[in-house]
Amino acid sequence: MNVGLFGTNGRMGRVLIEALNNSEQATLRAATVRDDSPWINMNVGELAGIPGQTLTCTPVSKLSPDHVDVMIDFTLPVVFEDNIRWCITHKKPVVIGTTGLSPAQVALLDEAAQHIPLVFAANYSVGVNLMLSLVRQAASALDDDTDIEIIEAHHRYKQDAPSGTALAIGEAIAGELGRDLSDCGVFSREGKMPARDQKQIGFATVRGGDIVGEHTALFADLGERLEITHKASSRLTFAKGAVRAAKWVQNKAPGRYDMINVLGLPR
Ligand code: NAD
């Protein structure tokens, strides 16, 4: 399987080069960077610290569909539309990791899914996707008056909050409880306020240093509390999951899939 990358020089792009280099079934064949990037024509091995590579970085506007079976996109929302339209035009399956998409951009995902197979997941780690199953199980077993809070921590450079994964955890729990996260989600608290409403799902965000990604779902009742926590210690876990998703999606029918589909986990 020949893979093309959007955002090759990003933090995720660099570990994707490493994950593809480690994969026996996937080969990196196109590595794109911004049209004004200083990395144009540079060897991808320099980005990932892997010697012996021959591929060089291409400006994204010069990306050729030849010899690419699947694209992987971990960039920023500002460039998402260009990337997905390129995939639709050239009928290329795509794995999308970019988070912080607007509602209009999420609608574009569904439009794209009518033409190409795509995987979109807020988190490509196997552990986090297992966590989505576990929080649903916890929500269905606990009393309806349990307080639910989602706490997430990421590195200082992260540009969206709460994280896409925290929102996915909140949506999994809300869906299990028959609630709508846009009604019951509480994203900030400050100053004097009434006692907590048990129907709320609260979010707290921490940003600092080089934290790769930590998520806790806290279920607190009177007398006990349950915490389900996932901690990523390396971005390689997301990159390995994305390469696994690329292998899975390459021959699928057009549609929108996620990591639960890729891993075959129960919903
Ligand atoms: P980053 O800032 O290091 O990299 C962003 C990349 O986007 C860079 O390569 C940059 O050149 C490219 N880019 C930005 N603007 C562009 C433009 N106008 N044209 C072309 N390219 C442009 O960010 P990162 O830490 O690598 O994260 C990338 C995305 O992946 C973020 O949305 C992040 O939240 C998300 N992410 C998702 C997962 C997951 O498992 N789904 C895991 C980690 C990060």
Side-chain angles (χ1 to χ4, degrees), residues 70-118:
V70 185
M71 291 299 299
I72 299 181
D73 181 9
F74 279 70
T75 53
L76 298 180
V78 67
V79 74
F80 164 77
E81 185 167 344
D82 289 349
N83 294 349
I84 196 138
R85 291 213 184 279
W86 186 94
C87 295
I88 296 170
T89 302
H90 298 288
K91 293 257 180 286
K92 297 296 176 189
V94 59
V95 172
I96 300 158
T98 307
T99 63
L101 300 183
S102 68
Q105 290 173 324
V106 173
L108 181 54
L109 276 179
D110 292 323
E111 185 192 322
Q114 292 171 18
H115 307 281
I116 53 172
L118 64 90

Side-chain angles (χ1 to χ4, degrees), residues 118-121 129 248 256-263 267:
L118 64 90
V119 182
F120 175 66
N129 286 283
W248 183 89
R256 176 174 160 181
Y257 305 99
D258 60 19
M259 272 307 267
I260 304 281
N261 296 125
V262 173
L263 299 173
R267 284 195 190 272

Side-chain angles (χ1 to χ4, degrees), residues 22 50 116 119 131 150 167 178 187 205 225 259-260:
N22 294 345
I50 304 170
I116 53 172
V119 182
M131 183 176 172
I150 296 157
L167 290 170
F187 298 95
T205 295
R225 69 177 192 269
M259 272 307 267
I260 304 281

Side-chain angles (χ1 to χ4, degrees), residues 6-14 32-37 60 73-79 82-83 96-101 120-125 154-155 157-160 164-165 212 235 237-239 242:
F6 293 113
T8 308
N9 61 308
R11 282 177 289 270
M12 278 305 301
R14 291 168 196 244
T32 71
V33 292
R34 294 170 65 125
D35 283 354
D36 59 356
S37 171
V60 66
D73 181 9
F74 279 70
T75 53
L76 298 180
V78 67
V79 74
D82 289 349
N83 294 349
I96 300 158
T98 307
T99 63
L101 300 183
F120 175 66
N123 196 306
Y124 280 88
S125 92
H154 281 88
H155 53 90
Y157 305 106
K158 185 157 178 66
Q159 294 194 12
D160 53 319
T165 303
V212 174
R235 286 185 181 81
T237 185
F238 310 127

Side-chain angles (χ1 to χ4, degrees), residues 131 135 146-152 166 169-170 173 179 184-189 196-205 215-220 226-228:
M131 183 176 172
V135 297
T146 302
D147 297 322
I148 301 168
E149 299 279 314
I150 296 157
I151 304 122
E152 61 104 335
I169 294 168
I173 294 170
R179 301 181 198 165
C184 68
V186 172
F187 298 95
S188 67
R189 296 188 182 105
R196 192 190 192 289
D197 173 353
Q198 272 68 60
K199 294 280 183 277
Q200 294 176 344
I201 297 179
F203 287 81
T205 295
H215 295 86
T216 293
L218 165 69
F219 298 85
L226 168 68
E227 295 180 13
I228 300 174

